[in-house]
């Protein structure tokens, strides 16, 4: 982070311990906090008031002590590098017990988020205008400064992130933001409030009047806005540069930590430059705010440079240099491969955002699944082939082997949609032979994908699960952490509330979870076609959900070490799929041709950079 110029990192670890101390002083018991704090894999959404308690309780005292020790190490390292850590502030989301202790306080329930049941939904919200808000907010900042030997004066709080405020009255919104900052400043007069701008994506509620009221309720310069999704939907352009408040131009890029190849190169390399050059702009920096960073290294390396650049540049020359840096040797084949990737998967020029709904990782309970794609799969296969052609020179390179798996994984994901559409056509035609062939082809592809993914340590489910379990000190803690790890990447909630939101194409998960779901689907298709019956979607869904619930509570282990040779497996799969009929995209696919972007891959015919 330091070497890439990041000087304003978030440091949110251990805030539950600070809140525990504050709430304990107010009379809240540990049992009552157990029902309030979300589990380890869902803390972010609990902290923002989206839901409460799911995945918990956090093991006491081991979790709290562990996180506090970790936070001290993080802050020491950040400050040692000259960074200014952003610490959490109080946003107003409280345990229900506060209502009993302070019956006269102005407390309300926020709305449902994610269709959670009443145990976990509808967070209790303390109105910022209430004196108790001021008290808790200042107590929290004071306790935090005491624990961490001071502060860097910047605090994050998101009262209404993906939650509808109790009122759209501009006066209420201005008063609320004023009170949030006031509570911070009661403990730290130099406090500055850092707030995500994601809430303004809700255009139904946040009209310009409401946005302006919230932002101008705080003196200019005492608030910093993260324009969180600026590479797709920049808010600064719609709000007169956040009505004077400083903002950071951010690339969100990734939702759920999905592994799909994706990027918006044109926006990434021009958006912050445009903001800097616009008269009256209040931009003060660039940032990244993804939900997962262990994918698409290319786009993060590129975005990391934008804080240093003020003019447009030749991104093709940059890509040539990137390929050389990544593999340690200049090679025309790898450079050509990366320029194809630049012009295709990394050049999504519409409003499509990176949330992977590929066939392998999508719940198979519909005969109308859709898959958005903005490039020609044949181009992606060409890049895969160019990488393979360089295997003699680079097969010992860890990054090269990773990229072989990653590009091959994307190819198989894309091809799977064609096979899925073949299955659906066979079902509609009541063609049993066709149904057998196409279902066999899909299940075979999923097996092949699992073999490919299992050949590289970075794509292993076992490493994820064992990492979670290793934090536990007792069997109960290990079981809780494993359940959190399993649930987040699959059902995401008690009743598949945001199912497959954080899906991962990982070895072990592909075969042990996704393939088994498709087994149920394919068996259903074959049975209905054989008996010439309509598919029973309700029964199919019930069977798939039963498997999912059972898997979430399993304790079976998965490999933590890779198996097989990446290069040999990749060559075999290229020979099997690279020139097959499956590479042709069916008419059902939402293919978006980016026109001039596909003129050639030399980079010399493009003038926009």
């Amino acid at each position: 982070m330091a070497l890439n110029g990041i000087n304003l990192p978030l440091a949110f670890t251990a805030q539950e311990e600070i809140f525990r101390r504050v709430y304990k002083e107010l009379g809240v018991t540990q049992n009552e906090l157990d029902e309030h704090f979300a589990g380890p894999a869902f803390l972010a959404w609990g902290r923002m008031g989206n839901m409460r308690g799911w995945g918990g309780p956090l093991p006491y005292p081991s979790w709290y002590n562990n996180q506090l020790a970790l936070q001290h190490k993080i802050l020491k390292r950040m400050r040692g590098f000259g960074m200014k850590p952003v610490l959490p502030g109080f946003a107003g989301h409280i345990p229900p017990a506060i209502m009993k202790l302070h019956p006269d306080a102005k407390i309300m329930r926020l709305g449902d988020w994610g269709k959670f049941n009443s145990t976990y939904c509808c967070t209790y919200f303390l109105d910022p205008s209430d004196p108790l808000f001021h008290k808790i907010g200042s107590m929290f900042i004071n306790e935090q400064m005491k624990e961490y030997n001071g502060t860097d004066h910047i605090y994050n709080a998101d009262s209404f992130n993906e939650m509808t405020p109790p009122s759209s009255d501009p006066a209420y919104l201005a008063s609320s933001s004023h009170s949030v900052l006031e509570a911070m400043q009661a403990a730290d007069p130099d406090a500055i409030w850092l707030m995500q701008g994601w809430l303004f994506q809700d255009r139904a509620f946040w009209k310009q009047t409401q946005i302006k009221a919230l932002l101008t309720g705080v003196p200019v310069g005492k608030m910093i806005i993260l324009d969180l999704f600026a590479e797709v939907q920049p808010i600064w352009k719609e709000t007169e540069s956040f009505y004077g408040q400083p903002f950071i131009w951010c690339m969100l890029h990734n939702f759920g930590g999905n592994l799909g190849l994706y990027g918006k190169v044109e926006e990434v390399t021009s958006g912050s430059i445009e903001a800097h050059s616009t008269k009256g702009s209040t931009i003060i920096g660039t940032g990244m705010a993804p939900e997962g960073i262990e994918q698409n290294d290319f786009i993060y390396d590129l975005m990391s440079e934008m804080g240093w650049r003020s003019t447009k540049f030749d991104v093709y020359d940059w890509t040539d240099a990137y390929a050389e840096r990544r593999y340690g040797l200049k090679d025309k084949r790898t450079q050509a491969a990366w320029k194809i990737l630049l012009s295709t998967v990394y050049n999504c020029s519409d409003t499509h955002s990176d949330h992977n709904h590929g066939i392998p990782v999508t719940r198979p309970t519909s005969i109308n699944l859709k898959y958005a794609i903005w490039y020609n799969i044949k181009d992606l296969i060409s890049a895969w082939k160019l990488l393979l052609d360089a295997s003699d020179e680079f097969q010992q390179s860890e990054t090269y082997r990773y990229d072989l798996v990653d590009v091959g994984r994307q190819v198989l994901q894309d091809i799977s949609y064609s096979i899925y559409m073949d299955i659906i056509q066979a079902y509609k035609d009541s063609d049993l032979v066709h149904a057998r062939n196409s279902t066999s082809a899909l299940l075979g592809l999923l097996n092949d994908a699992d073999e490919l993914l299992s050949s590289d340590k970075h794509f292993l489910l076992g490493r994820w699960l064992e990492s979670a379990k290793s934090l536990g000190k007792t069997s109960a803690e290990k079981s809780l952490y494993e359940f959190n790890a399993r649930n987040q990447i699959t059902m995401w909630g008690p009743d598949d509330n945001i199912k497959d939101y954080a899906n991962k194409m990982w070895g072990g998960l592909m075969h042990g979870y996704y393939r088994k779901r498709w087994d149920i689907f394919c068996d259903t298709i074959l049975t209905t076609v054989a008996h010439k019956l309509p598919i029973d979607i309700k029964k199919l869904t019930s069977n798939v959900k039963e498997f999912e619930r059972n898997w979430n509570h399993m304790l079976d282990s998965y490999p933590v070490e890779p198996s097989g040779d990446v290069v040999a497996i990749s060559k075999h799969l290229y020979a099997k799929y690279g020139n097959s009929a499956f590479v042709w995209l069916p008419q059902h696919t939402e293919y978006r041709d980016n026109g001039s972007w596909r003129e050639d891959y030399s980079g010399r015919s493009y003038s926009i950079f």
Side-chain angles (χ1 to χ4, degrees), residues 150-353:
T151 179
D152 293 274
H153 309 295
I154 303 178
Y155 307 94
N156 168 257
D158 294 293
S159 298
F160 306 122
N161 194 71
E162 296 191 4
M163 306 299 292
T164 303
S167 172
S168 62
D169 181 4
Y172 170 80
L173 295 171
S175 174
S176 294
S177 61
H178 176 80
S179 297
V180 171
L181 179 65
E182 191 175 51
M184 295 176 181
Q185 291 180 327
D188 179 4
D190 296 323
I192 295 174
W193 176 13
L194 181 86
M195 187 185 78
Q196 297 182 76
W198 178 254
L199 74 168
F200 301 137
Q201 297 292 337
D202 178 10
R203 304 301 207 277
F205 180 91
W206 291 101
K207 310 298 185 183
Q208 294 309 307
T209 300
Q210 283 70 37
I211 296 175
K212 186 174 184 178
L214 186 76
L215 296 179
T216 56
V218 173
V220 170
K222 285 298 183 178
M223 171 185 277
I224 299 172
I225 307 298
L226 301 178
D227 199 353
L228 212 69
F229 203 27
E231 87 277 21
V232 176
Q233 294 176 341
I235 300 295
W236 71 272
K237 292 184 177 182
E238 306 172 18
T239 57
E240 300 175 26
S241 198
F242 291 102
Y243 300 108
Q245 295 290 9
F247 78 93
I248 297 172
W249 195 102
C250 293
M251 178 187 77
L252 196 159
H253 180 263
N254 184 277
F255 291 87
N258 299 162
L259 301 187
L261 297 180
Y262 167 80
K264 295 182 72 66
V265 165
E266 184 173 358
E267 287 78 7
V268 165
T269 54
S270 63
S272 60
I273 293 173
E274 178 187 2
H276 275 293
S277 61
T278 299
K279 184 178 181 180
S281 172
T282 55
I283 185 173
I284 60 171
T286 58
M288 291 180 279
E291 290 186 345
I293 61 172
E294 295 182 345
Q295 32 67 39
N296 289 291
D297 298 343
F298 175 87
I299 206 73
Y300 292 105
D301 271 15
L302 183 59
M303 183 62 211
S304 294
E305 290 207 6
M306 296 313 299
W308 307 97
R309 293 184 179 272
S310 58
T311 59
K312 292 183 179 181
F313 59 99
D314 190 326
V315 76
Y316 285 87
D317 286 346
W318 187 92
T319 301
D320 278 344
Y322 174 84
E324 182 177 355
R325 290 197 307 273
R326 189 159 178 82
Y327 306 139
L329 183 67
K330 186 174 183 178
D331 184 273
K332 291 183 178 180
R333 293 161 299 185
T334 56
Q335 289 179 327
W338 274 102
K339 280 188 281 196
I340 293 176
L341 296 174
L342 166 68
S343 302
T344 54
V345 293
Y346 290 121
N347 177 48
C348 182
S349 59
D350 56 21
T351 57
H352 179 76
S353 58

Side-chain angles (χ1 to χ4, degrees), residues 534-570:
I535 192 168
D536 186 340
I537 295 295
K538 185 176 181 180
K539 182 179 180 180
L540 170 62
T541 302
S542 176
N543 291 339
V544 171
K545 290 177 70 172
E546 180 182 10
F547 163 74
E548 292 173 342
R549 284 191 294 269
N550 290 336
W551 189 89
N552 269 248
H553 292 278
M554 288 180 181
L555 299 174
D556 52 326
S557 60
Y558 291 85
V560 295
E561 296 296 335
S563 61
D565 179 74
V566 172
V567 173
I569 294 171
S570 297

Side-chain angles (χ1 to χ4, degrees), residues 81 98 129 189 220 226 244 314 320 371 375 532 606:
F81 279 132
I98 294 292
S129 65
V220 170
L226 301 178
D314 190 326
D320 278 344
Y371 178 48
Y375 54 89
K532 300 188 183 303
Y606 305 101

Side-chain angles (χ1 to χ4, degrees), residues 67-91:
Q67 295 296 290
L68 188 62
L70 179 59
Q71 175 76 332
H72 275 284
K73 292 180 180 179
I74 290 171
L75 292 175
K76 181 179 179 180
R77 183 58 56 86
M78 286 178 172
R79 289 167 175 166
F81 279 132
M83 299 173 174
K84 290 184 178 297
V86 177
L87 295 172
F90 178 58

